[in-house]
Amino acid sequence: MLIFLPGCDDGFDELNINPTQAPDLDPAFQLTFVQIASSNNRYEYWRAQYIYCSTIIQHNASSFSYWAGDKYNEIDSYSSAMWDSSYPRDLKNVVDLVNRTAEDPAQANFNAAARIVKVYLFGRITDLYGDIPYSEAGKGFIDEIFFPKYDTQESIYNDFFSELDAAVAQFSDSALPLQGDIWLDNDISKWKKWANSLKLRYGMRLTKVNPSLAESMVKQALQAGVMESIDDAPVVYHTEMDRNGNTAVMQADDNFRLSEAFVSYLQSTNDPRLSVWGMTYDTEGNEQPDVSTWKGLPNGTDGNSPEFEILEQFVRHNRSTIKSVTAPYIHQGLAEVRFLQAEAAIRGWDSGSAADYFADGLRAGIQQANLYDNTSISEEETEAFVAGNPLDESSTDAALEHIGTEQWVSTYLDAMEAFANWRRTGYPVLTPVDHEIGQTGGTIPRRLYYPPSELGVNPNFKEAIDRQFNGTNDLTGRVWWDAQ
């Protein structure tokens, strides 16, 4: 669905300064605002999604020093970008939307949808940083809480599961119908399936820290019903006025390339998506589509590396597909869900065929790629790719590695989720970078670190750092679910 939001701040400034005006906001408009704002801002996507997450998990690489994630360096404003942008904008608005619609039965569908969106948006923040302000966040005007506590990630996840279940149960045919929903076309059945798909994601997140709870949540999610087709996925098509945050980064910064690890893997599997995501060009800008000759840029290079002198030879992002202003943003794809189902089957948590789920995950990934402009991977090409890459079931570990690696591929352009899933599974096995400006001693980062400004702003900050990371706020601390 295409949408224009001229003057999209109209009314929201009043929410920031005058709480008496908040009840006058149309919940449909506020829902649209939150949905657009969650993926259309270049600032945090440039810094958190690309400079940090995409290079840490080796989707992309850069020889430029400001690409801190590629070298495991710390740049405060980059690490804190998602936090700094999300809390005063989409998180505050979704909390307000949940609060304003909570007591009105007629608004039950808006409240349920907002609760699901709230889980998803806070999920991105807690997965990146660890314990975060959650239960008291966004309540400066509502409850005059100006210094919210840092909830433990464990308690946040437990609330996620409760909220998703409650939201699914809350949807009602007797309440006002949804309006303004640009992700799922105001379709309640799709919202229910997405809520269960999020429960599947967050349930799987706990496989290391609490396997029994992970199993329970995954089984519940699958029994309740997850996405069934590409049409069930929450997707937004941005416009020139409200650009895709990913696209905006690629259009503004040409100083990064697809990584050697990523390109090499896609070449080894004859993945047709390589030419959707990447392309090489000659000196006159003409496409050079023979993927067998392509080279990805190694991670950890810099201005003194020999690669720096030949950057034009490495795979760039495709100008005619993913760099289009109307490129879709997929908030959770069907491919991810199918690979999680395959993993559940391997773990004995689902009675279906892991091999079939895996194959369907590959197919779904192609379907997702075909959503981009100028992309039409045929069914024949798709089935040849699927047939050539059956699930490796030689052992449980081999199957989990294969699934995890293809999940890594499927979440290209969603590096924050790829980073989370890599930390959980350990797949693919990445070769660490040990650059002289790095600050982790060659350890691949495990999180983004909190804004250092929190120390002087929120008196609850120090206690949160002490209990999680022994007082150290850096890239190597492990969040609760990333247990060793």
Side-chain angles (χ1 to χ4, degrees), residues 17-323:
I17 63 176
N18 187 353
T20 64
Q21 296 300 313
D24 296 332
L25 287 172
D26 181 352
F29 181 72
Q30 195 169 17
L31 177 62
T32 306
F33 175 84
V34 170
Q35 290 180 325
I36 286 288
S38 66
S39 61
N40 83 324
N41 287 277
R42 185 179 72 186
Y43 178 81
E44 65 268 26
Y45 275 79
W46 201 342
R47 292 154 178 81
Q49 176 107 295
Y50 279 89
I51 287 177
Y52 267 111
C53 292
S54 83
T55 56
I56 289 171
I57 47 88
Q58 299 182 16
H59 278 164
N60 297 308
S62 177
S63 295
F64 289 80
S65 60
Y66 69 92
W67 277 75
D70 190 73
K71 320 292 187 290
Y72 310 162
N73 192 19
E74 295 181 356
I75 299 180
D76 294 350
S77 62
Y78 291 7
S79 181
S80 64
M82 184 58 70
W83 179 293
D84 292 340
S85 295
S86 297
Y87 270 105
R89 188 191 60 221
D90 35 322
L91 294 181
K92 181 162 63 175
N93 273 283
V94 77
V95 169
D96 178 72
L97 180 57
V98 170
N99 182 72
R100 289 191 304 106
T101 56
E103 303 302 324
D104 184 356
Q107 304 284 4
N109 292 325
F110 285 100
N111 187 259
R115 292 168 82 175
I116 296 168
V117 174
K118 178 184 171 185
V119 167
Y120 167 67
L121 295 179
F122 274 100
R124 297 199 300 189
I125 302 300
T126 188
D127 286 344
L128 283 175
Y129 297 99
D131 296 357
I132 59 171
Y134 173 68
S135 61
E136 297 178 349
K139 295 185 177 180
F141 286 137
I142 298 169
D143 295 323
E144 296 187 351
I145 298 174
F146 303 111
F147 306 112
K149 68 180 180 180
Y150 278 64
D151 296 276
T152 67
Q153 190 173 73
E154 181 177 12
S155 67
I156 292 169
Y157 261 71
N158 287 335
D159 193 65
F160 283 175
F161 299 132
S162 297
E163 281 292 284
L164 291 170
D165 287 346
V168 168
Q170 184 179 3
F171 282 114
S172 172
D173 291 335
S174 62
L176 292 173
L178 276 178
Q179 294 180 316
D181 165 28
I182 61 168
W183 287 359
L184 294 166
D185 297 324
N186 304 301
D187 188 326
I188 288 176
S189 66
K190 292 182 180 180
W191 277 95
K192 291 179 178 180
K193 284 183 277 191
W194 184 41
N196 294 326
S197 298
L198 283 176
K199 187 174 181 179
L200 173 62
R201 169 191 282 186
Y202 296 131
M204 274 295 187
R205 204 80 95 214
L206 308 186
T207 51
K208 290 195 299 185
V209 70
N210 192 336
S212 61
L213 181 59
E215 179 179 1
S216 177
M217 293 300 102
V218 166
K219 285 181 174 179
Q220 288 179 24
L222 294 174
Q223 183 175 9
V226 295
M227 296 180 204
E228 298 174 325
S229 75
I230 192 76
D231 294 330
D232 291 330
V235 178
V236 59
Y237 290 87
H238 288 276
T239 70
E240 221 167 309
M241 181 173 290
D242 292 293
R243 294 180 299 170
N244 182 321
N246 283 337
T247 297
V249 173
M250 295 179 212
Q251 291 180 343
D253 189 341
D254 194 38
N255 290 334
F256 66 113
R257 302 287 185 267
L258 275 67
S259 81
E260 180 180 55
F262 193 65
V263 171
S264 296
Y265 181 77
L266 268 63
Q267 288 171 324
S268 73
T269 61
N270 294 312
D271 195 318
R273 291 170 292 183
L274 178 54
S275 59
V276 176
W277 294 322
M279 183 57 63
T280 59
Y281 302 89
D282 64 20
T283 56
E284 297 180 354
N286 299 310
E287 294 184 351
Q288 303 294 300
D290 182 1
V291 298
S292 67
T293 67
W294 290 5
K295 296 182 296 184
L297 178 65
N299 289 92
T301 63
D302 59 26
N304 296 317
S305 303
E307 291 86 357
F308 187 74
E309 302 301 323
I310 55 171
L311 284 180
E312 299 305 312
Q313 298 182 19
F314 297 102
V315 183
R316 304 165 90 145
H317 297 87
N318 194 317
R319 297 167 183 166
S320 64
T321 56
I322 62 174
K323 291 181 77 168

Side-chain angles (χ1 to χ4, degrees), residues 235-438:
V235 178
V236 59
Y237 290 87
H238 288 276
T239 70
E240 221 167 309
M241 181 173 290
D242 292 293
R243 294 180 299 170
N244 182 321
N246 283 337
T247 297
V249 173
M250 295 179 212
Q251 291 180 343
D253 189 341
D254 194 38
N255 290 334
F256 66 113
R257 302 287 185 267
L258 275 67
S259 81
E260 180 180 55
F262 193 65
V263 171
S264 296
Y265 181 77
L266 268 63
Q267 288 171 324
S268 73
T269 61
N270 294 312
D271 195 318
R273 291 170 292 183
L274 178 54
S275 59
V276 176
W277 294 322
M279 183 57 63
T280 59
Y281 302 89
D282 64 20
T283 56
E284 297 180 354
N286 299 310
E287 294 184 351
Q288 303 294 300
D290 182 1
V291 298
S292 67
T293 67
W294 290 5
K295 296 182 296 184
L297 178 65
N299 289 92
T301 63
D302 59 26
N304 296 317
S305 303
E307 291 86 357
F308 187 74
E309 302 301 323
I310 55 171
L311 284 180
E312 299 305 312
Q313 298 182 19
F314 297 102
V315 183
R316 304 165 90 145
H317 297 87
N318 194 317
R319 297 167 183 166
S320 64
T321 56
I322 62 174
K323 291 181 77 168
S324 167
V325 293
T326 58
Y329 192 92
I330 303 169
H331 288 278
Q332 186 181 21
L334 177 64
E336 177 196 331
V337 172
R338 289 292 178 262
F339 289 131
L340 292 176
Q341 288 179 283
E343 181 177 344
I346 291 294
R347 293 180 179 276
W349 301 348
D350 185 288
S351 60
S353 163
D356 289 347
Y357 286 137
F358 182 82
D360 285 343
L362 296 179
R363 293 187 182 95
I366 301 297
Q367 289 180 300
Q368 289 168 197
N370 278 338
L371 296 177
Y372 293 96
D373 290 348
N374 304 307
T375 303
S376 56
I377 300 171
S378 69
E379 183 175 353
E380 182 179 8
E381 291 176 284
T382 300
E383 290 308 314
F385 170 58
V386 172
N389 293 280
L391 177 62
D392 182 352
E393 296 184 274
S394 59
S395 68
T396 296
D397 287 344
L400 291 176
E401 179 172 6
H402 201 182
I403 293 165
T405 302
E406 284 297 336
Q407 187 73 280
W408 172 69
V409 173
S410 78
T411 48
Y412 190 72
L413 302 178
D414 187 1
M416 290 182 285
E417 177 56 28
F419 182 37
N421 201 59
W422 173 81
R423 286 176 285 162
R424 178 183 72 85
T425 66
Y427 300 125
V429 177
L430 301 176
T431 301
V433 167
D434 192 5
H435 194 275
E436 62 182 10
I437 68 170

